[in-house]
mmCIF file of all heavy atoms in Angstrom:
data_model
loop_
_atom_site.group_PDB
_atom_site.id
_atom_site.type_symbol
_atom_site.label_atom_id
_atom_site.label_comp_id
_atom_site.label_asym_id
_atom_site.label_seq_id
_atom_site.Cartn_x
_atom_site.Cartn_y
_atom_site.Cartn_z
ATOM 1 N N ARG M 550 -16.700 -68.912 14.884
ATOM 2 C CA ARG M 550 -16.737 -67.845 13.953
ATOM 3 C C ARG M 550 -15.358 -67.247 13.645
ATOM 4 O O ARG M 550 -15.160 -66.512 12.571
ATOM 5 C CB ARG M 550 -17.617 -66.715 14.415
ATOM 6 C CG ARG M 550 -19.096 -67.175 14.578
ATOM 7 C CD ARG M 550 -19.999 -66.018 14.994
ATOM 8 N NE ARG M 550 -21.094 -66.414 15.615
ATOM 9 C CZ ARG M 550 -22.079 -65.483 16.129
ATOM 10 N NH1 ARG M 550 -21.946 -64.205 16.031
ATOM 11 N NH2 ARG M 550 -23.226 -65.933 16.785
ATOM 12 N N GLU M 551 -14.434 -67.503 14.505
ATOM 13 C CA GLU M 551 -13.070 -66.967 14.348
ATOM 14 C C GLU M 551 -12.053 -68.084 14.727
ATOM 15 O O GLU M 551 -12.384 -68.968 15.594
ATOM 16 C CB GLU M 551 -12.830 -65.760 15.204
ATOM 17 C CG GLU M 551 -13.602 -64.591 14.651
ATOM 18 C CD GLU M 551 -13.305 -63.226 15.523
ATOM 19 O OE1 GLU M 551 -12.345 -63.281 16.359
ATOM 20 O OE2 GLU M 551 -14.086 -62.233 15.448
ATOM 21 N N LYS M 552 -10.738 -67.953 14.352
ATOM 22 C CA LYS M 552 -9.791 -68.864 14.798
ATOM 23 C C LYS M 552 -9.578 -68.546 16.280
ATOM 24 O O LYS M 552 -9.560 -67.399 16.757
ATOM 25 C CB LYS M 552 -8.473 -68.662 14.008
ATOM 26 C CG LYS M 552 -8.585 -68.966 12.562
ATOM 27 C CD LYS M 552 -7.281 -68.846 11.861
ATOM 28 C CE LYS M 552 -7.392 -69.133 10.417
ATOM 29 N NZ LYS M 552 -6.082 -68.914 9.572
ATOM 30 N N ASP M 553 -9.236 -69.530 16.983
ATOM 31 C CA ASP M 553 -8.868 -69.450 18.432
ATOM 32 C C ASP M 553 -7.423 -68.946 18.560
ATOM 33 O O ASP M 553 -6.575 -68.961 17.698
ATOM 34 C CB ASP M 553 -8.964 -70.724 19.144
ATOM 35 C CG ASP M 553 -10.305 -71.185 19.297
ATOM 36 O OD1 ASP M 553 -11.346 -70.463 19.153
ATOM 37 O OD2 ASP M 553 -10.612 -72.498 19.574
ATOM 38 N N GLY M 554 -7.205 -68.351 19.810
ATOM 39 C CA GLY M 554 -5.872 -68.004 20.197
ATOM 40 C C GLY M 554 -5.516 -66.601 19.799
ATOM 41 O O GLY M 554 -6.372 -65.701 19.442
ATOM 42 N N PHE M 555 -4.142 -66.308 19.953
ATOM 43 C CA PHE M 555 -3.564 -65.036 19.725
ATOM 44 C C PHE M 555 -2.498 -65.137 18.650
ATOM 45 O O PHE M 555 -1.623 -65.967 18.653
ATOM 46 C CB PHE M 555 -2.972 -64.598 21.019
ATOM 47 C CG PHE M 555 -2.016 -63.436 21.090
ATOM 48 C CD1 PHE M 555 -2.449 -62.295 20.423
ATOM 49 C CD2 PHE M 555 -0.604 -63.488 21.459
ATOM 50 C CE1 PHE M 555 -1.630 -61.080 20.268
ATOM 51 C CE2 PHE M 555 0.157 -62.407 21.355
ATOM 52 C CZ PHE M 555 -0.366 -61.214 20.730
ATOM 53 N N HIS M 556 -2.687 -64.204 17.647
ATOM 54 C CA HIS M 556 -1.684 -64.185 16.501
ATOM 55 C C HIS M 556 -1.728 -65.512 15.829
ATOM 56 O O HIS M 556 -0.616 -66.095 15.550
ATOM 57 C CB HIS M 556 -0.430 -63.695 16.972
ATOM 58 C CG HIS M 556 -0.198 -62.352 17.271
ATOM 59 N ND1 HIS M 556 0.846 -61.747 17.792
ATOM 60 C CD2 HIS M 556 -1.131 -61.242 17.157
ATOM 61 C CE1 HIS M 556 0.661 -60.389 17.952
ATOM 62 N NE2 HIS M 556 -0.652 -60.145 17.639
ATOM 63 N N THR M 557 -2.809 -66.052 15.518
ATOM 64 C CA THR M 557 -2.946 -67.304 14.841
ATOM 65 C C THR M 557 -3.375 -67.154 13.473
ATOM 66 O O THR M 557 -4.513 -67.560 13.098
ATOM 67 C CB THR M 557 -3.867 -68.392 15.663
ATOM 68 O OG1 THR M 557 -5.222 -67.775 15.766
ATOM 69 C CG2 THR M 557 -3.264 -68.678 16.955
ATOM 70 N N GLY M 558 -2.557 -66.622 12.608
ATOM 71 C CA GLY M 558 -2.847 -66.428 11.228
ATOM 72 C C GLY M 558 -3.692 -65.332 10.976
ATOM 73 O O GLY M 558 -3.834 -64.381 11.811
ATOM 74 N N GLN M 559 -4.337 -65.185 9.931
ATOM 75 C CA GLN M 559 -5.197 -64.047 9.537
ATOM 76 C C GLN M 559 -6.451 -64.021 10.249
ATOM 77 O O GLN M 559 -7.230 -64.910 10.255
ATOM 78 C CB GLN M 559 -5.469 -64.103 7.956
ATOM 79 C CG GLN M 559 -4.259 -64.133 7.130
ATOM 80 C CD GLN M 559 -3.498 -62.760 7.182
ATOM 81 O OE1 GLN M 559 -4.279 -61.731 7.305
ATOM 82 N NE2 GLN M 559 -2.226 -62.760 7.164
ATOM 83 N N LEU M 560 -6.637 -62.742 10.908
ATOM 84 C CA LEU M 560 -7.876 -62.617 11.675
ATOM 85 C C LEU M 560 -8.679 -61.409 11.173
ATOM 86 O O LEU M 560 -9.461 -60.747 11.934
ATOM 87 C CB LEU M 560 -7.562 -62.423 13.117
ATOM 88 C CG LEU M 560 -7.215 -63.732 13.848
ATOM 89 C CD1 LEU M 560 -6.543 -63.457 15.156
ATOM 90 C CD2 LEU M 560 -8.355 -64.657 14.057
ATOM 91 N N TYR M 561 -8.365 -60.964 9.790
ATOM 92 C CA TYR M 561 -9.024 -59.912 9.206
ATOM 93 C C TYR M 561 -10.560 -60.217 9.375
ATOM 94 O O TYR M 561 -11.033 -61.298 9.157
ATOM 95 C CB TYR M 561 -8.663 -59.789 7.754
ATOM 96 C CG TYR M 561 -9.329 -58.704 7.025
ATOM 97 C CD1 TYR M 561 -8.799 -57.452 7.143
ATOM 98 C CD2 TYR M 561 -10.414 -58.754 6.251
ATOM 99 C CE1 TYR M 561 -9.460 -56.294 6.414
ATOM 100 C CE2 TYR M 561 -11.018 -57.864 5.624
ATOM 101 C CZ TYR M 561 -10.534 -56.568 5.638
ATOM 102 O OH TYR M 561 -11.205 -55.553 5.012
ATOM 103 N N PRO M 562 -11.451 -59.187 9.560
ATOM 104 C CA PRO M 562 -11.127 -57.817 9.544
ATOM 105 C C PRO M 562 -10.691 -57.077 10.905
ATOM 106 O O PRO M 562 -10.753 -55.870 10.789
ATOM 107 C CB PRO M 562 -12.510 -57.216 9.176
ATOM 108 C CG PRO M 562 -13.480 -58.151 9.815
ATOM 109 C CD PRO M 562 -12.821 -59.489 9.644
ATOM 110 N N TRP M 563 -10.363 -57.847 11.795
ATOM 111 C CA TRP M 563 -9.697 -57.303 13.023
ATOM 112 C C TRP M 563 -8.458 -56.439 12.580
ATOM 113 O O TRP M 563 -7.637 -56.906 11.818
ATOM 114 C CB TRP M 563 -9.351 -58.291 14.023
ATOM 115 C CG TRP M 563 -10.411 -58.878 14.808
ATOM 116 C CD1 TRP M 563 -11.086 -60.047 14.623
ATOM 117 C CD2 TRP M 563 -10.971 -58.262 15.959
ATOM 118 N NE1 TRP M 563 -12.028 -60.188 15.613
ATOM 119 C CE2 TRP M 563 -11.857 -59.142 16.504
ATOM 120 C CE3 TRP M 563 -10.645 -57.108 16.672
ATOM 121 C CZ2 TRP M 563 -12.694 -58.818 17.641
ATOM 122 C CZ3 TRP M 563 -11.462 -56.749 17.775
ATOM 123 C CH2 TRP M 563 -12.458 -57.811 18.358
ATOM 124 N N HIS M 564 -8.429 -55.166 12.937
ATOM 125 C CA HIS M 564 -7.263 -54.383 12.638
ATOM 126 C C HIS M 564 -6.818 -53.533 13.796
ATOM 127 O O HIS M 564 -6.172 -52.529 13.662
ATOM 128 C CB HIS M 564 -7.599 -53.378 11.377
ATOM 129 C CG HIS M 564 -8.855 -52.519 11.723
ATOM 130 N ND1 HIS M 564 -10.145 -52.893 11.573
ATOM 131 C CD2 HIS M 564 -8.816 -51.188 12.275
ATOM 132 C CE1 HIS M 564 -10.929 -51.903 11.900
ATOM 133 N NE2 HIS M 564 -10.241 -50.816 12.333
ATOM 134 N N GLY M 565 -7.111 -53.942 15.017
ATOM 135 C CA GLY M 565 -6.791 -53.275 16.244
ATOM 136 C C GLY M 565 -6.754 -54.223 17.374
ATOM 137 O O GLY M 565 -7.275 -55.272 17.382
ATOM 138 N N ALA M 566 -6.207 -53.632 18.539
ATOM 139 C CA ALA M 566 -6.225 -54.407 19.735
ATOM 140 C C ALA M 566 -7.394 -53.889 20.719
ATOM 141 O O ALA M 566 -7.473 -52.789 20.884
ATOM 142 C CB ALA M 566 -4.910 -54.271 20.470
ATOM 143 N N TYR M 567 -8.163 -54.874 21.162
ATOM 144 C CA TYR M 567 -9.298 -54.527 22.020
ATOM 145 C C TYR M 567 -9.094 -54.745 23.531
ATOM 146 O O TYR M 567 -9.856 -55.020 24.260
ATOM 147 C CB TYR M 567 -10.512 -55.424 21.589
ATOM 148 C CG TYR M 567 -11.818 -54.765 21.985
ATOM 149 C CD1 TYR M 567 -12.257 -53.636 21.519
ATOM 150 C CD2 TYR M 567 -12.593 -55.569 22.955
ATOM 151 C CE1 TYR M 567 -13.601 -53.078 22.061
ATOM 152 C CE2 TYR M 567 -13.723 -55.119 23.348
ATOM 153 C CZ TYR M 567 -14.229 -53.791 22.918
ATOM 154 O OH TYR M 567 -15.491 -53.356 23.464
ATOM 155 N N CYS M 568 -7.780 -54.629 23.864
ATOM 156 C CA CYS M 568 -7.386 -54.856 25.232
ATOM 157 C C CYS M 568 -7.363 -53.586 26.097
ATOM 158 O O CYS M 568 -7.014 -53.667 27.340
ATOM 159 C CB CYS M 568 -5.986 -55.456 25.253
ATOM 160 S SG CYS M 568 -4.780 -54.547 24.403
ATOM 161 N N GLY M 569 -7.815 -52.435 25.571
ATOM 162 C CA GLY M 569 -7.855 -51.218 26.365
ATOM 163 C C GLY M 569 -8.916 -51.125 27.389
ATOM 164 O O GLY M 569 -9.954 -51.712 27.211
ATOM 165 N N ASP M 570 -8.484 -50.424 28.377
ATOM 166 C CA ASP M 570 -9.531 -50.048 29.428
ATOM 167 C C ASP M 570 -10.569 -48.969 28.777
ATOM 168 O O ASP M 570 -11.630 -48.915 29.182
ATOM 169 C CB ASP M 570 -8.998 -49.434 30.669
ATOM 170 C CG ASP M 570 -8.408 -50.388 31.626
ATOM 171 O OD1 ASP M 570 -8.229 -51.583 31.284
ATOM 172 O OD2 ASP M 570 -8.321 -50.144 32.868
ATOM 173 N N ILE M 571 -10.122 -48.301 27.777
ATOM 174 C CA ILE M 571 -10.895 -47.303 27.045
ATOM 175 C C ILE M 571 -10.832 -47.567 25.549
ATOM 176 O O ILE M 571 -9.901 -47.973 25.024
ATOM 177 C CB ILE M 571 -10.129 -45.906 27.213
ATOM 178 C CG1 ILE M 571 -10.092 -45.531 28.832
ATOM 179 C CG2 ILE M 571 -10.938 -44.713 26.598
ATOM 180 C CD1 ILE M 571 -9.232 -44.351 29.115
ATOM 181 N N ASP M 572 -12.030 -47.336 24.911
ATOM 182 C CA ASP M 572 -12.176 -47.818 23.558
ATOM 183 C C ASP M 572 -11.590 -46.849 22.582
ATOM 184 O O ASP M 572 -11.104 -45.793 22.973
ATOM 185 C CB ASP M 572 -13.590 -48.195 23.251
ATOM 186 C CG ASP M 572 -14.607 -47.077 23.135
ATOM 187 O OD1 ASP M 572 -14.166 -45.895 22.841
ATOM 188 O OD2 ASP M 572 -15.687 -47.289 23.385
ATOM 189 N N LEU M 573 -11.655 -47.090 21.380
ATOM 190 C CA LEU M 573 -10.933 -46.213 20.293
ATOM 191 C C LEU M 573 -11.563 -44.820 20.266
ATOM 192 O O LEU M 573 -11.024 -44.001 19.829
ATOM 193 C CB LEU M 573 -11.110 -47.010 18.861
ATOM 194 C CG LEU M 573 -10.150 -46.530 17.900
ATOM 195 C CD1 LEU M 573 -8.685 -46.932 18.328
ATOM 196 C CD2 LEU M 573 -10.455 -47.268 16.646
ATOM 197 N N THR M 574 -12.866 -44.711 20.685
ATOM 198 C CA THR M 574 -13.519 -43.471 20.564
ATOM 199 C C THR M 574 -13.352 -42.602 21.862
ATOM 200 O O THR M 574 -13.846 -41.521 22.114
ATOM 201 C CB THR M 574 -15.092 -43.538 20.389
ATOM 202 O OG1 THR M 574 -15.605 -44.289 21.624
ATOM 203 C CG2 THR M 574 -15.332 -44.509 19.153
ATOM 204 N N GLY M 575 -12.563 -43.212 22.764
ATOM 205 C CA GLY M 575 -12.334 -42.485 24.182
ATOM 206 C C GLY M 575 -13.302 -42.678 25.209
ATOM 207 O O GLY M 575 -13.322 -42.159 26.362
ATOM 208 N N LEU M 576 -14.305 -43.726 25.039
ATOM 209 C CA LEU M 576 -15.216 -43.970 26.023
ATOM 210 C C LEU M 576 -14.700 -45.068 26.907
ATOM 211 O O LEU M 576 -14.052 -46.124 26.419
ATOM 212 C CB LEU M 576 -16.524 -44.364 25.286
ATOM 213 C CG LEU M 576 -17.271 -43.230 24.650
ATOM 214 C CD1 LEU M 576 -18.554 -43.640 24.078
ATOM 215 C CD2 LEU M 576 -17.443 -42.023 25.570
ATOM 216 N N ARG M 577 -15.061 -45.168 28.225
ATOM 217 C CA ARG M 577 -14.584 -46.032 29.235
ATOM 218 C C ARG M 577 -15.340 -47.337 29.136
ATOM 219 O O ARG M 577 -16.523 -47.441 29.032
ATOM 220 C CB ARG M 577 -14.648 -45.527 30.604
ATOM 221 C CG ARG M 577 -13.725 -44.257 30.694
ATOM 222 C CD ARG M 577 -14.080 -43.698 32.118
ATOM 223 N NE ARG M 577 -13.379 -44.481 33.161
ATOM 224 C CZ ARG M 577 -13.576 -44.175 34.459
ATOM 225 N NH1 ARG M 577 -14.091 -43.024 34.826
ATOM 226 N NH2 ARG M 577 -13.049 -44.959 35.390
ATOM 227 N N LYS M 578 -14.584 -48.591 29.138
ATOM 228 C CA LYS M 578 -15.140 -49.808 29.292
ATOM 229 C C LYS M 578 -15.462 -50.111 30.750
ATOM 230 O O LYS M 578 -14.865 -49.443 31.633
ATOM 231 C CB LYS M 578 -14.346 -50.981 28.716
ATOM 232 C CG LYS M 578 -14.031 -50.706 27.251
ATOM 233 C CD LYS M 578 -12.999 -51.820 26.724
ATOM 234 C CE LYS M 578 -12.571 -51.443 25.313
ATOM 235 N NZ LYS M 578 -11.505 -52.471 24.848
ATOM 236 N N PRO M 579 -16.163 -51.090 31.107
ATOM 237 C CA PRO M 579 -16.554 -51.483 32.523
ATOM 238 C C PRO M 579 -15.288 -51.720 33.302
ATOM 239 O O PRO M 579 -15.076 -51.360 34.466
ATOM 240 C CB PRO M 579 -17.505 -52.715 32.467
ATOM 241 C CG PRO M 579 -18.209 -52.473 31.200
ATOM 242 C CD PRO M 579 -17.241 -51.870 30.204
ATOM 243 N N ILE M 580 -14.220 -52.450 32.644
ATOM 244 C CA ILE M 580 -12.958 -52.571 33.346
ATOM 245 C C ILE M 580 -12.267 -51.377 33.801
ATOM 246 O O ILE M 580 -11.624 -51.385 34.941
ATOM 247 C CB ILE M 580 -12.045 -53.581 32.499
ATOM 248 C CG1 ILE M 580 -10.760 -54.004 33.300
ATOM 249 C CG2 ILE M 580 -11.683 -52.869 31.201
ATOM 250 C CD1 ILE M 580 -11.092 -54.847 34.421
ATOM 251 N N SER M 581 -12.496 -50.278 33.122
ATOM 252 C CA SER M 581 -11.832 -49.041 33.506
ATOM 253 C C SER M 581 -12.531 -48.515 34.745
ATOM 254 O O SER M 581 -11.785 -48.000 35.654
ATOM 255 C CB SER M 581 -12.115 -47.999 32.322
ATOM 256 O OG SER M 581 -11.657 -46.746 32.773
ATOM 257 N N HIS M 582 -13.852 -48.631 34.877
ATOM 258 C CA HIS M 582 -14.414 -48.087 36.141
ATOM 259 C C HIS M 582 -14.137 -49.068 37.288
ATOM 260 O O HIS M 582 -13.859 -48.588 38.494
ATOM 261 C CB HIS M 582 -15.908 -48.222 35.871
ATOM 262 C CG HIS M 582 -16.393 -47.208 35.006
ATOM 263 N ND1 HIS M 582 -16.711 -45.953 35.269
ATOM 264 C CD2 HIS M 582 -16.671 -47.426 33.602
ATOM 265 C CE1 HIS M 582 -17.165 -45.354 34.151
ATOM 266 N NE2 HIS M 582 -17.084 -46.117 33.126
#
């Protein structure tokens, strides 16, 4: 459904990094706990 890898061309509609322990709304992901 998407290209493999990191920074491999256009990956729109991705427009942010999902590597945070806390998501964009300020809620904690399991890795944070």
Side-chain angles (χ1 to χ4, degrees):
R550 300 190 202 175
E551 294 182 10
K552 293 180 180 178
D553 289 343
F555 165 55
H556 287 173
T557 52
Q559 295 297 320
L560 287 166
Y561 182 84
W563 282 99
H564 58 275
Y567 196 66
C568 53
D570 277 21
I571 299 169
D572 71 27
L573 201 63
T574 67
L576 296 177
R577 299 173 67 181
K578 301 177 188 176
I580 185 65
S581 170
H582 292 277

